[in-house]
Amino acid sequence: MIFCVEDDVSIRDIEVYTLQSTGFEAKGFEDGISFWQALQKEKPELVILDIMLPEMDGMEILKKMKKDSEWKEIPIIMATAKGEEYDKIQGLDFGADYYLVKPFGVMELVSCVKAVLRRCKPKQVDHLLKTGDLIVNIKEHIVTVNGKRILLTLKEFEILRLLLSHPGIVYTRETLFNEIWGMDYCGETRTVDMHIRTLRQKLGSYGEIIETVRGIGYRLEVKK
């Protein structure tokens, strides 16, 4: 979702329409107050922010966002009719990721959005698997939930690692047995079921993300 904050209705409509027609989800806001209220309910991927806004101007919004840990990582493109070097430098100094000077073309807007999203995409840490506040450190064999370390057996750790590496994929009991125990399935489901049960218990509220697929096996659904 991209939030477009622009008090000029014609420009705002063009921004939203252009983004939606090129595959993005977008919402428009006419002032800083309505934008700030929406921000409390939904976290956008990117914000296109005009500087000259009623009530709360763009620079004030930019500074507030960059001071708050909840929103400081959201990339921000400043869009304004002001082309003075000072305004551009000030916006970038406060943490803006890009600066568009009006009037700008629709393709320039789309290219800019794509470039900023690509540049600001979080770097993937290969040895960490995460969903919400559940973190599996593959390299150190450490599992934490809400910052608290959870002690798992080797088999429980391997089951969690496998399921979290492929969220949404259903694993039969046979496949889990073969993958985790390294031997052909022997027709006994109790070993797999027992480990899943104790793993769920140890994960507390996160145990519910390991779902039972009746008659088949198990899958893990990540938390949004």
Side-chain angles (χ1 to χ4, degrees):
M1 175 63 69
I2 297 174
F3 283 180
C4 302
V5 194
E6 169 62 61
D7 61 332
D8 186 313
V9 63
S10 60
I11 296 176
R12 184 172 69 248
D13 287 347
I14 290 173
E15 289 177 351
V16 172
Y17 174 78
T18 298
L19 291 168
Q20 290 177 341
S21 64
T22 50
F24 294 100
E25 290 184 273
K27 291 181 181 179
F29 301 92
E30 64 182 358
D31 55 41
I33 302 298
S34 60
F35 161 74
W36 199 257
Q37 291 172 343
L39 193 62
Q40 315 305 309
K41 301 175 183 178
E42 183 177 8
K43 189 174 182 178
E45 290 182 86
L46 181 144
V47 175
I48 300 172
L49 182 61
D50 186 32
I51 287 184
M52 302 300 292
L53 293 170
E55 304 295 335
M56 184 188 300
D57 68 32
M59 285 297 182
E60 184 181 351
I61 293 172
L62 174 64
K63 287 187 284 186
K64 286 184 67 173
M65 289 182 67
K66 293 305 177 181
K67 287 180 180 178
D68 195 306
S69 59
E70 180 72 20
W71 302 300
K72 68 178 182 180
E73 299 300 327
I74 299 174
I76 298 175
I77 297 173
M78 302 300 291
T80 179
K82 289 185 177 180
E84 289 87 350
E85 191 71 16
Y86 173 77
D87 296 304
K88 182 175 181 179
I89 292 173
Q90 186 180 39
L92 295 175
D93 283 346
F94 285 146
D97 295 274
Y98 200 85
Y99 198 98
L100 277 174
V101 179
K102 301 175 188 176
F104 49 81
V106 292
M107 295 315 299
E108 181 184 2
L109 171 66
V110 173
S111 296
C112 174
V113 166
K114 288 181 177 178
V116 171
L117 284 175
R118 188 165 55 245
R119 188 172 72 240
C120 296
K121 186 176 181 180
K123 292 180 174 60
Q124 193 70 25
V125 182
D126 293 336
H127 67 280
L128 294 181
L129 298 172
K130 299 176 62 176
T131 176
D133 291 314
L134 167 62
I135 303 174
V136 177
N137 188 318
I138 298 173
K139 189 179 295 184
E140 298 179 5
H141 270 241
I142 292 175
V143 176
T144 59
V145 173
N146 298 319
K148 182 180 178 181
R149 186 168 176 175
I150 306 298
L151 298 179
L152 302 181
T153 66
L154 178 60
K155 299 304 183 188
E156 291 165 352
F157 181 90
E158 290 300 322
I159 290 172
L160 180 60
R161 178 195 59 77
L162 179 63
L163 294 177
L164 191 52
S165 296
H166 304 90
I169 301 299
V170 178
Y171 282 87
T172 65
R173 291 175 173 84
E174 293 92 334
T175 300
L176 284 172
F177 195 88
N178 294 341
E179 290 280 346
I180 304 304
W181 278 264
M183 60 183 75
D184 291 335
Y185 182 68
C186 60
E188 176 58 67
T189 63
R190 292 182 60 189
T191 298
V192 174
D193 294 340
M194 180 182 66
H195 280 77
I196 292 288
R197 185 170 63 252
T198 58
L199 176 58
R200 282 171 169 162
Q201 291 172 349
K202 291 180 179 181
L203 293 178
S205 62
Y206 276 86
E208 65 187 24
I209 68 175
I210 301 177
E211 300 179 352
T212 300
V213 182
R214 189 176 297 275
I216 301 176
Y218 300 95
R219 71 168 165 229
L220 184 145
E221 291 292 345
V222 297
K223 288 196 173 186
K224 301 297 185 182

